[in-house]
Amino acid sequence: MQFQSYILGSNHFDLDPDLWPVLQHFWPQADTWREDLRRFGALAGGAAYRVADHVDRESRPLLVMHDLDGNRIDRARLSPAQEALLGELAAVNAPPYQGGSWHHHFAQGYLLADPGLYCILTITNCVIYTIHKYAPRFSPWKEELLSGRAWGATWMTEVQGGSDLGANLTQARKDGEVWRLGGEKYFSSGAGLTDYALVSARPEGAEWGPKGLALFLVPRLDQAGRLNYRVRRLKEKLATRAVPSGEVELTNSEGHLVGVAEEGIYYTLEVLTLSRLANAAGAMGLARKAQLEALTRTKRRTAFGKTLDAHPLIRRDLTDLAVRIAGGLALTFRAVQAWEEAWPNRPPYPSHYHYARFLTHLAKARTAEHGTSCTQLAMELFGGVGFVEDFAIARLAREALITPIWEGPANVQALDTLEVMFRKGALEPFLGEFVPALERVGTPSSWAALGALEETLARLRQAEPEEAQWLAKESLRTLADVAITALLYGLAGTSGERYAKLAELYASRFLKGEEYSSWALSAPEVWGRHLEG
């Protein structure tokens, strides 16, 4: 990768024009952790960037099924470089459980922005979260996971159901102080690496559907030290190769019930919310790396007698990248702020928990769309060599393709948005936050945002249930774009006029359906600030 990336070896925190303003806006303690994030930015742009590329191209995890004596072990063999890096990255999960902030965690996830590596951290974090909140008797496991001596996973997906968790067939029966699980998990990230997994299963006699699911902690080894589940195979994936994903067989596997069985689906949705925030941060982080690669190239490569970034259409494309990333990052960390306030709550949840879920659905879906668009456009700005696997940009484009799919695709996010809006009352705080904010701005673009919001809600309120589902995905986009416009205007108050310009550009493109205004052609502070000087 040394000769195929423009930004390898640079500090990705220092190069980022938006992360620090966004963190200062949403995180009161941000200044305390600036130097820590700068140190992590050096790791993200150095060893982490190089190792992620190395694993993808040259050293994918392999499944070792037996040891020297013929015993079944089902362990993933990793590159020594990946093993060493994961030891350094384990600390990313610590802040929320050691008196710190979720902003700190997700800022590091954004800077890392490798979906395979960050997936390992995220699914481990989900197990830590669950033990911390609902299964404190397993705190020794939590400490192992926090230290990097062990890794976790969330195994919910089954072949017949996919996103339809209510169709899960894995069964659980009580056996003294433990439970015995039987079934198959079809897409199990962390397979072969995992020491402690969260597994959804239906206790004997429980009702059909999602409300009949309980959540269990399943260790790799049972209390007698025997292998507790088997990995049938690892999957060959387009990207995210750093995380071994496979098919897991549970046969009389020892499990430990988390909390109350009847609340299992709620615990599952909590860890899904956590994972969706990670997905949003990672999607924007991938977009940023792709943008930085492309921006550097356009400053260095000459065509038709001048550097690429001197051409109007190139500046238009760079504007598109800057607008999408700034907007998606603002929405992500507004959702993180809401999660920070809501995560201690347990079922039955208060209204601000449902609002955090609502913002997370918007952020997850919209950042995935922006992230894939940005990485594709950045690859296009490289021209033909961007499509060649020798260059860093090609992998970033491949990696981004998972972000709309993981943790529920856009269709699932849209349906969940309808549910939390109208059945859980999350629309009211949304309107209470963003309508006054846009009214205070009072520009044509802010009024256009309010008009788009009013029109979208009127259609949804008048629609029959099936029509509302038909409209749900486009409605989610509009709600997300309204929030992003307001948030960018809000950032102008703390971080300067550049964000008012970004808000105007965002609203004109994504709410009014217009081309970006041509004044941006002469506004390098919008599209090219990252590498000034």
Side-chain angles (χ1 to χ4, degrees):
M1 191 187 188
Q2 183 176 357
F3 307 107
Q4 284 83 42
S5 166
Y6 289 112
I7 61 171
L8 175 66
S10 59
N11 188 310
H12 289 192
F13 178 85
D14 290 342
L15 289 181
D16 200 292
D18 298 312
L19 177 60
W20 186 242
V22 166
L23 289 175
Q24 285 187 302
H25 188 79
F26 292 114
W27 182 19
Q29 294 78 35
D31 286 341
T32 304
W33 298 102
R34 182 185 176 101
E35 287 308 307
D36 186 79
L37 290 171
R38 284 197 74 250
R39 286 191 293 272
F40 192 84
L43 176 65
Y49 204 34
R50 184 193 295 271
V51 170
D53 186 83
H54 157 69
V55 171
D56 176 80
R57 301 180 195 280
E58 301 152 355
S59 188
R60 305 178 195 181
L62 298 175
L63 181 62
V64 179
M65 300 186 74
H66 299 90
D67 67 12
L68 287 168
D69 298 315
N71 300 307
R72 190 77 180 260
I73 56 169
D74 291 8
R75 268 312 213 185
R77 186 172 71 216
L78 305 182
S79 159
Q82 183 179 357
E83 285 186 341
L85 177 63
L86 285 173
E88 289 189 71
L89 293 177
V92 168
N93 284 332
Y97 311 104
Q98 297 178 354
S101 170
W102 285 107
H103 296 89
H104 194 176
H105 166 81
F106 288 115
Q108 292 176 93
Y110 165 82
L111 288 167
L112 176 63
D114 176 78
L117 294 171
Y118 194 24
C119 177
I120 294 170
L121 298 177
T122 297
I123 56 181
T124 298
N125 195 12
C126 288
V127 181
I128 296 168
Y129 174 93
T130 303
I131 294 173
H132 177 85
K133 191 169 178 180
Y134 294 113
R137 67 188 186 279
F138 295 106
S139 57
W141 295 359
K142 171 187 160 186
E143 295 307 314
E144 285 185 69
L145 295 162
L146 282 169
S147 70
R149 299 193 307 273
W151 300 100
T154 56
W155 294 342
M156 316 295 176
T157 306
E158 298 184 12
V159 67
Q160 75 284 344
S163 295
D164 181 8
L165 294 181
N168 281 8
L169 298 176
T170 298
Q171 294 288 316
R173 61 176 177 82
K174 194 79 165 65
D175 182 18
E177 295 184 356
V178 302
W179 292 71
R180 298 293 172 185
L181 276 60
E184 299 178 356
K185 298 296 178 177
Y186 183 69
F187 202 97
S188 301
S189 290
L193 182 64
T194 299
D195 300 287
Y196 306 107
L198 288 176
V199 179
S200 57
R202 197 179 310 279
E204 288 181 323
E207 64 180 292
W208 181 250
K211 290 188 177 180
L213 293 177
L215 194 61
F216 297 88
L217 277 166
V218 177
R220 176 177 174 267
L221 301 177
D222 65 16
Q223 293 176 354
R226 298 169 300 208
L227 189 64
N228 198 31
Y229 59 80
R230 290 192 171 188
V231 180
R232 181 184 297 142
R233 67 177 181 124
L234 298 184
K235 297 188 183 283
E236 289 290 331
K237 296 176 291 179
L238 179 66
T240 69
R241 292 166 179 164
V243 54
S245 300
E247 299 165 14
V248 169
E249 300 171 349
L250 301 158
T251 304
N252 212 32
S253 299
E254 179 183 293
H256 304 272
L257 180 66
V258 172
V260 179
E262 291 75 16
E263 293 182 350
I265 188 60
Y266 301 112
Y267 310 151
T268 300
L269 290 174
E270 283 191 40
V271 298
L272 271 175
T273 300
L274 182 57
S275 297
R276 286 162 176 169
L277 287 169
N279 199 93
M284 287 295 90
L286 277 169
R288 177 69 76 203
K289 291 188 192 309
Q291 179 206 29
L292 291 171
E293 294 279 6
L295 181 60
T296 312
R297 184 169 181 81
T298 63
K299 289 178 176 295
R300 293 176 57 161
R301 186 167 175 81
T302 299
F304 307 107
K306 51 187 176 182
T307 59
L308 290 179
D309 71 345
H311 292 276
L313 279 173
I314 298 295
R315 292 187 177 186
R316 184 266 171 211
D317 290 345
L318 294 174
T319 296
D320 191 36
L321 295 174
V323 169
R324 288 176 185 265
I325 295 169
L329 192 63
L331 180 58
T332 296
F333 277 91
R334 174 62 188 97
V336 170
Q337 182 188 45
W339 175 252
E340 178 94 346
E341 297 165 357
W343 78 283
N345 292 286
R346 300 173 175 233
Y349 303 108
S351 60
H352 65 280
Y353 174 84
H354 296 301
Y355 187 39
R357 258 192 69 197
F358 178 62
L359 292 175
T360 299
H361 292 313
L362 300 186
K364 192 278 176 187
R366 201 64 176 115
T367 58
E369 291 175 337
H370 283 328
T372 52
S373 293
C374 287
T375 53
Q376 180 180 347
L377 179 56
M379 185 167 63
E380 183 181 339
L381 288 169
F382 268 72
V385 296
F387 202 70
V388 176
E389 285 284 359
D390 289 345
F391 294 86
I393 195 70
R395 182 179 71 85
L396 297 177
R398 281 192 288 107
E399 298 283 6
L401 293 174
I402 194 60
T403 61
I405 299 170
W406 265 353
E407 315 309 341
N411 289 347
V412 170
Q413 303 305 317
L415 294 176
D416 284 353
T417 296
L418 287 183
E419 187 260 346
V420 78
M421 279 174 65
F422 294 120
R423 292 184 56 195
K424 303 298 184 182
L427 180 59
E428 285 73 17
F430 180 85
L431 297 176
E433 177 176 356
F434 293 112
V435 169
L438 290 166
E439 288 176 340
R440 286 193 297 270
V441 172
T443 65
S445 291
S446 70
W447 290 117
L450 288 167
L453 175 61
E454 183 177 350
E455 181 181 345
T456 294
L457 293 178
R459 280 201 309 268
L460 284 176
R461 285 167 172 151
Q462 294 167 10
E464 296 295 325
E466 287 196 352
E467 184 186 1
Q469 291 185 32
W470 181 271
L471 299 170
K473 190 153 58 175
E474 189 59 33
S475 298
L476 180 154
R477 290 190 186 105
T478 299
L479 293 168
D481 292 341
V482 167
I484 286 171
T485 300
L487 291 167
L488 289 172
Y489 276 125
L491 279 162
T494 55
S495 298
E497 186 64 19
R498 175 172 179 265
Y499 287 97
K501 294 178 180 179
L502 287 165
E504 295 287 328
L505 291 166
Y506 194 97
S508 67
R509 185 67 179 145
F510 297 109
L511 290 170
K512 294 191 281 186
E514 300 172 354
E515 181 53 281
Y516 293 116
S517 299
S518 59
W519 59 256
L521 180 63
S522 302
E525 70 276 12
V526 168
W527 49 261
R529 178 180 172 189
H530 314 64
L531 300 178
E532 286 181 350

